[in-house]
Amino acid sequence: MPLPRLRLLQVGDVHLPGAVKIKRAVDNKDGRFPLELRNIIADQPTKVVFKEIYRLMERGGISAALFMGDLTDIGDQAGYLASAKYIAQALQLGTSGAFAGLPIGIVPGNHDINRTLAAESDLTSKFGPLLQAMAQNGLPPLPVLKPIWMKAVNGAAVANIALLNSCWGCGSKEFIPPEFREGVSKAIEDALAHPTDDPEAHERTVRAYYDRQFDTPAFSEDTIRELAIEGSETQRRGLLVACAHHNILPQRLTRLAPYTELVNSGAFRSTLAEMGRPIIYLHGHIHEDPIEILQVPGGDPVVSISAPAATAGFNILDLVFTRSGIPLSCQVTGWRFNESGILRPRRPIIVPLIGRKTRSTSGQLAQLYGALLATHDLYWSDVVKLATTIYDTDVEANVEEALELLASDGSVSIENYREDRSSWIVGARI
């Protein structure tokens, strides 16, 4: 039997309705070209991405679909309803969709905050309109005060998924320094509330504010506390996957904007690193797609995986477990548009999750690795034949687990990894 696996779909910032106005680049030198044909040739990226996601879900095997926030451009009712309806209908998700049984996780982003309610009311009411729009379209609630827990299970493979709200301080004037709080608040309110005689100019002003907000994104203390307690104790079995909108490490591209980094990212990172288990942290926000590993000496990895904006693609995460259910590795396949404008999967990136302290101490792993080093590239069937002199029972299962362990730290390469293991070509290198 193959090793137990889970497959997670990670979708970044959708930014509706603005994203539907974006077209794929076309070097259009002929204004007489029929509009209908041009639209077929240069379809909307978001539409292409959602079509491919739908095809993947139709094929089966997706364990959970996770959305990283910023569903909207501007936190208003029209945007909330447009984004919720588009996600529910285009992907047939939610209570009335064809994939009603598929676990869905959605977290709020800074663009999803209703800024009027944020300025006038308590810290939680600013999430109310989006929650209503989600419910109206049969989609699940978003985390506000505390994490929302969901589970993906496939035999011994278990992922405990924590949906987190990193937008606690977004849009709240209480976090603007008191010396100029009222002046800044009034200037923002005037810019957002009073359209000029130029509607397009006013829209640019509003969008500029949502892009360059005076914001203090943060996790609530209750969120961090519950994540630490639940993740360390009651959710111990399996792999912990935490999802939120904001990045916990500064982005690679220098960001010149005030109050945009997580206020308590250091405390949150420390909490994750001290939990004594491998953790995957999924986020969006920066519209880039780095994969970064945080690890204290002797500790377990915290793997931070960013999704690109939905107009650029999405990620598929294949989580591999040992037969006893220990998280072994995470294979990240980024679906991106190539230079010809075709959405295609990139070469997978394999991230090890298992530490050496949790590996088997059996000499059989070293024996198989030595035998592979002594040969050239081998097909799966040849590796199994070679391993019959090493393993007495369950040869194929032992070989697959050994190859996954060796591949996770780069000791072997596996061609055709995305295919059935019978198509694998294995090469060992020092």
Side-chain angles (χ1 to χ4, degrees):
M1 291 288 291
L3 292 179
R5 298 169 183 261
L6 293 170
R7 173 168 285 187
L8 306 181
L9 166 67
Q10 182 192 17
V11 183
D13 304 9
V14 182
H15 283 301
L16 290 171
V20 298
K21 300 177 183 178
I22 300 173
K23 296 284 187 179
R24 277 190 289 174
V26 172
D27 189 11
N28 185 12
K29 296 293 196 299
D30 188 352
R32 300 167 299 174
F33 204 80
L35 177 62
E36 293 80 5
L37 185 55
R38 189 168 72 237
N39 287 340
I40 293 174
I41 295 172
D43 209 346
Q44 299 165 354
T46 301
K47 186 176 180 181
V48 175
V49 167
F50 272 53
K51 279 183 177 179
E52 188 59 51
I53 290 174
Y54 185 84
R55 280 195 285 266
L56 288 173
M57 291 194 302
E58 272 192 317
R59 293 174 199 162
I62 301 294
S63 307
L66 305 171
F67 294 81
M68 302 293 102
D70 271 4
L71 308 177
T72 63
D73 294 313
I74 297 171
D76 60 12
Q77 197 63 27
Y80 296 145
L81 291 172
S83 60
K85 183 178 180 180
Y86 192 88
I87 291 170
Q89 293 188 357
L91 298 180
Q92 286 296 294
L93 296 174
T95 54
S96 60
F99 302 106
L102 180 67
I104 311 164
I106 305 174
V107 298
N110 53 294
H111 279 253
D112 300 325
I113 301 303
N114 185 294
R115 300 280 155 170
T116 302
L117 290 175
E120 296 177 354
S121 307
D122 60 82
L123 289 173
T124 60
S125 59
K126 61 190 175 186
F127 301 102
L130 180 56
L131 284 166
Q132 293 173 7
M134 295 289 112
Q136 189 173 328
N137 286 275
L139 296 175
L142 292 76
V144 178
L145 288 170
K146 294 183 178 181
I148 291 178
W149 291 92
M150 53 188 290
K151 194 182 290 283
V153 181
N154 179 23
V158 178
N160 297 296
I161 303 170
L163 307 177
L164 311 174
N165 178 9
S166 62
C167 301
W168 191 248
C170 293
S172 299
K173 65 180 181 180
E174 290 83 357
F175 297 100
I176 299 174
E179 292 80 3
F180 44 88
R181 179 179 301 158
E182 293 306 319
V184 170
S185 298
K186 186 176 186 307
I188 292 172
E189 290 169 6
D190 288 345
L192 297 181
H194 303 298
T196 65
D197 54 3
D198 185 348
E200 292 184 0
H202 176 65
E203 182 178 352
R204 286 195 298 272
T205 300
V206 174
R207 290 183 181 277
Y209 171 66
Y210 270 85
D211 285 333
R212 301 192 298 265
Q213 304 143 359
F214 278 93
D215 255 356
T216 48
F219 293 105
S220 71
E221 190 173 332
D222 287 343
T223 291
I224 297 178
R225 183 185 300 110
E226 181 173 320
L227 181 67
I229 295 173
E230 291 289 317
S232 297
E233 297 175 5
T234 59
Q235 308 286 348
R236 190 68 195 177
R237 178 175 175 246
L239 177 66
L240 177 58
V241 180
C243 304
H245 177 64
H246 290 88
N247 43 308
I248 55 176
L249 287 171
Q251 67 185 68
R252 292 176 296 184
L253 182 65
T254 302
R255 191 181 186 101
L256 299 178
Y259 299 102
T260 59
E261 300 290 353
L262 271 169
V263 172
N264 53 355
S265 61
F268 183 75
R269 290 199 307 271
S270 296
T271 298
L272 296 181
E274 293 167 0
M275 290 175 69
R277 61 186 300 181
I279 297 171
I280 291 179
Y281 177 75
L282 304 180
H283 70 92
H285 184 57
I286 59 177
H287 296 191
E288 296 179 349
D289 55 358
I291 299 172
E292 299 165 299
I293 301 176
L294 312 173
Q295 195 163 10
V296 298
D300 292 288
V302 177
V303 184
S304 176
I305 303 174
S306 178
T311 52
F314 58 93
N315 290 335
I316 293 290
L317 279 63
D318 287 298
L319 308 177
V320 184
F321 296 74
T322 66
R323 284 167 290 171
S324 59
I326 298 174
L328 201 163
S329 65
C330 173
Q331 173 192 325
V332 185
T333 303
W335 284 71
R336 305 290 185 270
F337 290 99
N338 62 19
E339 293 183 359
S340 300
I342 306 300
L343 186 64
R344 298 291 300 161
R346 289 179 175 175
R347 187 179 183 86
I349 297 172
I350 302 176
V351 181
L353 298 176
I354 194 167
R356 297 209 175 260
K357 62 183 180 182
T358 51
R359 286 192 178 194
S360 169
T361 56
S362 167
Q364 293 169 316
L365 180 66
Q367 193 176 348
L368 178 63
Y369 180 45
L372 291 171
L373 284 172
T375 64
H376 296 292
D377 294 346
L378 294 177
Y379 287 99
W380 165 262
S381 57
D382 296 324
V383 178
V384 172
K385 188 182 300 183
L386 182 70
T388 56
T389 61
I390 301 173
Y391 299 103
D392 296 326
T393 59
D394 299 326
V395 176
E396 291 198 356
N398 279 300
V399 167
E400 184 182 4
E401 188 165 302
L403 292 180
E404 290 283 0
L405 283 166
L406 293 168
S408 71
D409 60 14
S411 298
V412 303
S413 61
I414 304 176
E415 296 296 329
N416 304 324
Y417 183 74
R418 294 178 60 249
E419 308 300 329
D420 182 80
R421 65 186 185 182
S422 61
S423 301
W424 288 3
I425 303 174
V426 182
R429 305 288 185 270
I430 296 179

